[in-house]
Amino acid sequence: MRLAVLTALPEHLVFAHEAVAATGVPETVLRQWARRGRITRFPGDGRPSGDGHLYRTMYSLPEVQEQAKSYRPRGSAAAA
């Protein structure tokens, strides 16, 4: 259950690889959180990300950082 709804400002929106760099949470976990409604998924602007890809999904960095506080890696990810 979400305790607080954060306002997403355009400057808070980041692509998945940027959220991973900022929080250390894998992209697969970000996508799972978005599917489960823990974080909000926003349409990307289609601009090149700088590494040759056109990313179409953005996430609010403050939301990701809030969820990342409770993130605990499991299984083989914890052993790596």
Side-chain angles (χ1 to χ4, degrees):
M1 176 168 36
R2 183 177 284 173
L3 297 175
V5 176
L6 298 173
T7 303
L9 301 174
E11 59 267 16
H12 292 164
L13 296 180
V14 295
F15 294 109
H17 69 281
E18 296 168 328
V20 169
T23 62
V25 177
E27 284 187 44
T28 54
V29 174
L30 293 176
R31 289 192 298 271
Q32 188 174 61
W33 285 348
R35 270 194 314 272
R36 293 179 178 174
R38 292 183 182 174
I39 61 174
T40 308
R41 184 182 313 175
F42 298 92
D45 56 7
R47 67 178 165 88
S49 66
D51 61 356
H53 297 282
L54 295 177
Y55 291 97
R56 290 176 172 65
T57 305
M58 300 181 91
Y59 302 96
S60 173
L61 188 56
E63 279 186 341
V64 174
Q65 290 171 330
E66 187 64 31
Q67 281 294 318
K69 291 177 185 176
S70 63
Y71 173 69
R72 302 286 180 261
R74 293 205 233 163
S76 61

